[in-house]
Amino acid sequence: MENKNWSNTSVEEILQEVNTDTGLTSQQAQQKLQTDGLNQLAQAEKESLLIKFINQFKDVMILILIAAAIISGVLGEMVDAFIILAIVVVNALLGLYQEGKAENALEALQKLSAPTSKVIRDSQELSVPSEELVVGDIIVLEAGDLVNADLRLLKTSSLKIEEASLTGESVPVEKEADVLVGEDKALGDRINMAYSSGNVTYGRGLGVVTATGMNTEVGKIATILSETKNQETPLQKQLNDLGKVLGIVAIIAVVGIFLIGLFNGKEPFQMFMTSVSLAVAVIPESLPTVSTIVLSMGVQRLVKRNAIVRTLPSVETLGSTTVICSDKTGTLTQNKMTVVDYYNNEQPVDHLALAGFLVNDSRLNNEQKWVGDPTETAISAWAVDQGVNYDQALKDYKRIAEVPFDSARKRMTTVNMVDGKKMVYVKGGVDEVLAITTRYGLNNEVRPITQEDIDTIQQKNTSMGQDALRVLAVAYKEVQGEVEDGDPNLESDLIFLGLVGMIDPARPEVKEAIADCKNAGIRAVMITGDHATTAQAIGREIGLLEDHHRVITGVDLDNMSDEDLARDVESIGVYARVSPEHKMRIIDAWKSHGNIVAMTGDGVNDAPALKKADIGAAMGIVGTEVAKGASDMVLTDDNFATVVNAVEEGRRIKDNIKKAIGYLLSCNMGELFTLLLATVLNWQMPLLAIHILWINLVTDSLPALALGVDPAEEDIMDREPDRSNSLFTKPMAYRTLYQGVMVGILTTIGFMVGSGWLFGLEGNTQLGQTMAFGVLGFSQLVHAFNIHSPQESVFKTLFKNKQLIQAVLINVAMMFAVLLVPALRDIFKLADLELIHWLIMFSLAFMPWVIVEIMKKLGLNGND
């Protein structure tokens, strides 16, 4: 079939090309399948395991470490080179494992919910896999079916299709096959078309497939996704920036120390080895590993809290989020129409409930879930809640005639046998029902309806409408004699019974989640394809929309330049009737103010924005495959409140990574100070390269890792987002400097004692290096407990983190092994210590507690 403007082509013209009775032959379908390919969205080409592994080595600090390993190897220090490369490979394997685990979890989520479609082929109605649909297939649609390809409808019988996942419109669209629609109309207004990802809620239909796979409207959005580039997360940028700074410091230190050594008459080779040791001391080799593992553990915690994070740094990004742009339907709301108000002039509600239940085609399925048109399922569920006995009503009140709903009348009528009487029930639009109503029920009596009655009804209708409720009227009468389907006389001389108002309500937990966002300094914004009135009502109900916030539509956005939008974006709380392109502009406008933007959503129409945002969070249950594929995080319980949990976890992770950085850098600063002082004073080196590597890669790593699981601070969600975009703040720099100098001085004192320069003790260079090694290692382990809090006493937080206690005990045992086991002592070129040296070593090692406690008491510890 040739390409054409399907929505503007008449059914008669289409029927000249297709036969709805016979459909395609199996042979024709097979040929088209071979030509056009499967009816599925193109999968992004997966990176090979090798490429994924290589990608783990892109960080600046990793590259610097590899260079250090190569230099060490060239200079014959194979042990040093091996240790550096080992830590780099372990870091890469951890990242690879975690990303693979997240991908596997997502694959379990991304299963099609409707794998088959009903088609007419070879003059028979068959059920075929949806991926085998081809252009020209005749599709049979019934209530409950998913639309699995784009269709031009050929026949419709009260057909309604929910297209929320594509258009954002929560109310099903009434479809009409016989009308012609211009190509310039929006997708939601093309009522003679059905689109892939739609859900048939009512009626029946017949259509011809006009597009499959990537040629569908869903496929076009998927194409937009492939053109949107992924960007670095804030954590990746900050770690890279830190790596660059440390790299520059390392180069300056290496060159400076090398030149100073040459000036002091040292051998060039000896000074080169010292310079390499210094470079190793400057760069915290275990930081990439610690960061990866801390993020990985955060990801595992989030899985238990119903969130799957696809890439490690993304969870930290959520912790830095300043704006959450959220879809309404199914994210802030339940995506389930619910009766929330009714009016029956103080008459018994049971009559209104029974009437609403009987003039209704929705039913419970085998899983005890309501199926059918959302407005009808809402009324039926409400009727049962009001006391209607479901089984008895279906059994005792048989339907004997009906006048189906159509868009011209905007009414539906049924005739049911109720207690031996033929009762007519009508439901529909308020004006359409009042037009055929002549009587009014009041105090169990029926009298002619008056204008005052009509005004009262309309006032209540208006009041419900202002609350964004969809309002239907219900009327009834008793008839005698024979009744027939479609009899127009059934819809006359009716008695007004009441109004029911329904809405897609907010999720019960969303209001608290929005309040938590406000307390955390995060701005929540609603972006929806739904009507402005409905969006505004929901926004006010959940506390998202405040008095000074504006509500604008997609048309308003079209009339705004990017500059105007960027200027006004902070005053706009709700965007209604928007397209995917609008969402991209909104995100760009927020980003232009330096905000970190998160986007939550579940529909196909959310996918481009999910990818464009700093972090996209898709719904795992009702979310479309395209949305999940574009997201950074999938919420497995479809709960907006899970986003708030992720924000809290992200903040905790960033806090703990900063603790780990502060700890590692203060330790490395101590090493740098020790080596720099010795070089300037023309001493022998207090520490060898292998000593520094052992401290940095082994002794430092476990405590840093344990700090990564520190419990969250009590006020973590009561503070503003961290807008510094820095992992290394000024207070941290101050603490790192003075605490590093503290460790360096203690280490230097240890070296001087071992060298025989203090307290009248005998010594030598090897003994001095052993004392320096011991003081450095043990003092850093003691210092780890200072890092819990820059304000609180170490004695209050000492037992805050059991993992840190365990890590320190393990590293103490490892230090004892190196100092006491002769074979290990020889590898590390250490001397055997006497009791006096052990006593002095531990006296110096516990000094960080004393010094930092004094600084905290004096308020000089640098509060964040």
Side-chain angles (χ1 to χ4, degrees), residues 756-778:
W757 301 346
L758 292 176
F759 309 134
L761 298 173
E762 293 183 2
N764 54 56
T765 299
Q766 186 181 29
L767 187 59
Q769 290 172 339
T770 305
M771 283 290 291
F773 175 72
V775 171
L776 179 65
F778 287 121

Side-chain angles (χ1 to χ4, degrees), residues 368-421:
Q368 295 300 297
K369 293 182 179 179
W370 291 102
V371 293
D373 182 86
T375 57
E376 294 200 327
T377 61
I379 293 172
S380 291
W382 171 76
V384 170
D385 288 342
Q386 297 300 321
V388 172
N389 186 305
Y390 178 84
D391 294 324
Q392 181 183 358
L394 291 181
K395 179 181 177 183
D396 296 345
Y397 306 144
K398 297 289 186 183
R399 183 183 299 184
I400 59 175
E402 66 179 306
V403 184
F405 177 90
D406 67 51
S407 57
R409 294 168 27 258
K410 295 186 178 179
R411 295 187 296 263
M412 173 185 177
T413 299
T414 64
V415 183
N416 297 75
M417 293 300 300
V418 179
D419 299 329
K421 300 176 181 178

Side-chain angles (χ1 to χ4, degrees), residues 686-687 691 694-695 699 743 746-748 750-751 766-782 811-812 815-816 818-819 830-831 833 837-838 840-846:
L687 297 162
H691 298 160
W694 174 264
I695 297 291
T699 311
V743 170
L746 294 172
T747 302
T748 302
F751 175 71
Q766 186 181 29
L767 187 59
Q769 290 172 339
T770 305
M771 283 290 291
F773 175 72
V775 171
L776 179 65
F778 287 121
S779 66
Q780 289 182 3
L781 294 177
V782 169
N811 279 351
V812 166
M815 285 292 296
F816 273 126
V818 171
L819 288 167
L830 300 173
L833 296 176
H837 294 115
W838 284 104
I840 294 172
M841 180 192 296
F842 282 113
S843 297
L844 292 171
F846 277 93

Side-chain angles (χ1 to χ4, degrees), residues 25 29-30 125 149 165 195 242 429 450 467 532 544 586 734 782 853:
T25 66
Q30 191 62 35
E125 184 176 314
S165 65
Y195 294 106
L242 181 60
T450 65
D467 291 332
L544 178 146
I586 295 164
Y734 164 72
V782 169
E853 276 298 296

Side-chain angles (χ1 to χ4, degrees), residues 58-124:
K58 288 184 176 179
D59 287 344
V60 174
M61 281 197 289
I62 295 292
L63 296 175
I64 292 173
L65 286 176
I66 291 172
I70 293 171
I71 293 171
S72 297
V74 168
L75 295 175
E77 299 293 330
M78 300 307 297
V79 174
D80 297 3
F82 174 78
I83 293 175
I84 297 173
L85 289 176
I87 204 73
V88 168
V89 171
V90 168
N91 175 70
L93 290 174
L94 278 168
L96 191 66
Y97 169 76
Q98 183 56 41
E99 289 183 19
K101 198 170 182 180
E103 284 181 7
N104 291 337
L106 279 168
E107 285 176 5
L109 283 173
Q110 295 171 343
K111 292 181 179 178
L112 293 174
S113 52
T116 61
S117 298
K118 293 188 286 288
V119 304
I120 296 175
R121 287 184 185 171
D122 300 318
S123 302
Q124 295 180 345

